[in-house]
Amino acid sequence: MVSTKYEFIVNDIKKQINLGAYSVNEKIPSENQLAQKYDVTRQTVRHALSVLISEGYLYSKQGSGTFVAPQLKKRGNSKNIAVVTTYMSDYIFPRVIQGINKVLSESGYSILLKTTNNSRKGEAWCMEELLSKNIDGMIIEPSQSAISCQHQVLYEQMDSMGIPYVFIQGCYEAMLDKPHVMLDDVEGGRLITEHLIKLGHKNIAGIFKADDMQGIFRHKGYVKALTEAGIPYNPDLVVWYHTKDRTMRPFEGMLHILESGISCHAVVCYNDEIAADIIKGITGIGRQVPHDISVTGFDNSLLAKSRGITTVSHPQEEMGRKAAETLIGLIEGNVTRKDAHILLTPELVERKSTL
């Protein structure tokens, strides 16, 4: 149908502008060229261009053509907030979304929800699509945040359009000055490691995620606790894994430690999911938890509660509420970017997986 074709052209040209394919005041291809490119009639192209002009993406010069608008502005008061998360599983994310939705709905906003599967390409694709819609702001959990952001131009585009955004859970290192609501993962890593040290453990293994900043910070807290206790850091007791090898690498690394003859009677895991996998793997080779080895998690998820895993609390709903309140404050001018840096305090939750 013609309507579908013109909408496709509108969204595609928006994406090209958002990605920087066209510069400010640059002339875009002619109607004939666009008609050929998209295999549509000139009437369909004209319809698409008129929409883009009305939304402030383009402007026309009589007899000269159509050009990219010099300054894109946020397009109206849509009351739509985009929320982008890495996953939408039954782990911690539903409660984070619940917290966000409660605040937004009470303030008259609606959610446009997208997930990236912790893929940087997926994040860029979601942002491109959302920037082609009329949104007032965005709450986003960055994908593989420990790796440099390759699509920072999209965040710059949001800045130029006057669309505020708030990072949750993590933040790209180069963008830590941007609004964010995060857990104090360094303190969390320190707390859980200190707990094991107080139980008498010294040779403590650590399993951390290398491509998310949460993993980097939790490892930093692990090192801090060891240092404070005067225990030398042993890199042979640390296992690093990435998103792509999450299902195999953690237990393979732990098994290597156990089989290498290195004395190890406790392990700090990146999160509760990894802890549950480690417990399953350890019991599968005849070791008992916590009698042979103490295991800890992170996040205090339902999984930790059901499996009796000692962990660190993650204020999931509070994080969602704080993120939504911060974003609304940015939209309404009640909060400045300088004041929009929130670090939530973790707490230790002791259960039967440690001894």
Side-chain angles (χ1 to χ4, degrees):
M1 295 177 64
V2 171
S3 61
T4 301
K5 291 181 178 179
Y6 95 77
E7 287 171 354
F8 176 83
I9 296 170
V10 168
N11 289 331
D12 192 58
I13 292 177
K14 284 180 180 180
K15 287 181 181 180
Q16 294 303 312
I17 293 173
N18 291 335
L19 287 171
Y22 298 119
S23 302
V24 170
N25 292 322
E26 179 181 347
K27 182 179 179 181
I28 68 168
S30 67
E31 289 183 3
N32 283 334
Q33 290 171 319
L34 291 172
Q36 185 175 3
K37 175 182 178 180
Y38 294 108
D39 192 23
V40 296
T41 64
R42 286 185 63 185
Q43 182 179 1
T44 300
V45 170
R46 285 196 197 100
H47 190 181
L49 294 181
S50 68
V51 170
L52 289 164
I53 291 171
S54 68
E55 292 187 359
Y57 276 89
L58 303 174
Y59 67 93
S60 62
K61 286 184 180 179
Q62 187 68 31
S64 298
T66 308
F67 301 79
V68 177
Q71 187 174 13
L72 295 174
K73 297 292 185 181
K74 189 172 61 167
R75 298 170 299 285
N77 185 20
S78 69
K79 289 291 184 178
N80 290 325
I81 300 297
V83 177
V84 182
T85 63
T86 53
Y87 300 105
M88 183 48 64
S89 65
D90 57 357
Y91 188 56
I92 66 172
F93 299 99
R95 292 188 63 189
V96 174
I97 299 300
Q98 186 177 348
I100 292 172
N101 188 57
K102 185 176 188 300
V103 173
L104 293 183
S105 61
E106 289 175 353
S107 301
Y109 290 88
S110 299
I111 285 182
L112 298 176
L113 186 61
K114 294 288 182 182
T115 57
T116 66
N117 290 316
N118 206 27
S119 160
R120 290 186 295 167
K121 287 184 179 179
E123 180 178 315
W125 184 87
C126 287
M127 291 183 68
E128 289 169 24
E129 182 180 0
L130 290 166
L131 283 172
S132 71
K133 301 182 183 297
N134 194 0
I135 60 173
D136 290 348
M138 183 182 295
I139 296 172
I140 184 164
E141 180 193 14
S143 299
Q144 299 180 53
S145 55
I147 302 174
S148 62
C149 181
Q150 301 298 311
H151 50 274
Q152 195 163 338
V153 63
L154 295 175
Y155 290 103
E156 293 169 355
Q157 184 67 36
M158 291 178 70
D159 289 334
S160 70
M161 296 168 71
I163 300 177
Y165 51 91
V166 176
F167 287 111
I168 57 170
Q169 294 272 69
C171 186
Y172 295 109
E173 187 173 10
M175 302 176 75
L176 282 170
D177 61 324
K178 303 297 184 182
H180 58 256
V181 178
M182 300 189 298
L183 184 64
D184 189 342
D185 287 297
V186 174
E187 176 61 11
R190 191 198 67 79
L191 274 176
I192 201 74
T193 308
E194 180 187 62
H195 168 68
L196 292 172
I197 293 171
K198 286 181 177 179
L199 291 176
H201 299 294
K202 292 185 177 179
N203 297 323
I204 303 170
I207 302 174
F208 302 101
K209 199 163 187 285
D211 55 0
D212 281 327
M213 287 304 295
Q214 297 98 304
I216 305 299
F217 288 142
R218 290 171 193 180
H219 172 261
K220 187 178 293 187
Y222 162 84
V223 174
K224 184 177 181 181
L226 294 177
T227 302
E228 289 174 350
I231 300 174
Y233 175 80
N234 184 353
D236 292 335
L237 284 173
V238 176
V239 177
W240 290 99
Y241 74 96
H242 295 76
T243 299
K244 62 182 180 182
D245 57 15
R246 174 247 173 275
T247 58
M248 298 295 292
R249 174 61 184 157
F251 181 65
E252 286 179 350
M254 190 66 211
L255 187 60
H256 174 74
I257 290 172
L258 295 175
E259 292 179 343
S260 68
I262 301 174
S263 178
C264 175
H265 299 286
V267 56
V268 171
C269 296
Y270 168 71
N271 64 16
D272 297 335
E273 288 184 315
I274 297 299
D277 289 345
I278 293 299
I279 291 172
K280 180 180 179 181
I282 287 175
T283 55
I285 62 172
R287 303 286 183 97
Q288 291 186 332
V289 175
H291 296 92
D292 295 324
I293 184 166
S294 290
V295 179
T296 66
F298 205 109
D299 289 332
N300 195 27
S301 64
L302 291 175
L303 185 62
K305 295 172 185 176
S306 65
R307 305 287 178 86
I309 299 173
T310 294
T311 186
V312 171
S313 65
H314 186 299
Q316 301 151 31
E317 288 189 43
E318 182 185 1
M319 176 174 285
R321 290 196 303 271
K322 291 288 187 182
E325 289 167 358
T326 300
L327 183 61
I328 291 174
L330 291 169
I331 292 170
E332 298 180 353
N334 301 321
V335 174
T336 65
R337 287 197 172 195
K338 182 181 178 181
D339 298 325
H341 300 153
I342 299 173
L343 208 57
L344 302 177
T345 303
E347 295 180 358
L348 178 71
V349 182
E350 187 175 357
R351 297 195 178 96
K352 65 181 182 181
S353 70
T354 56
L355 182 66

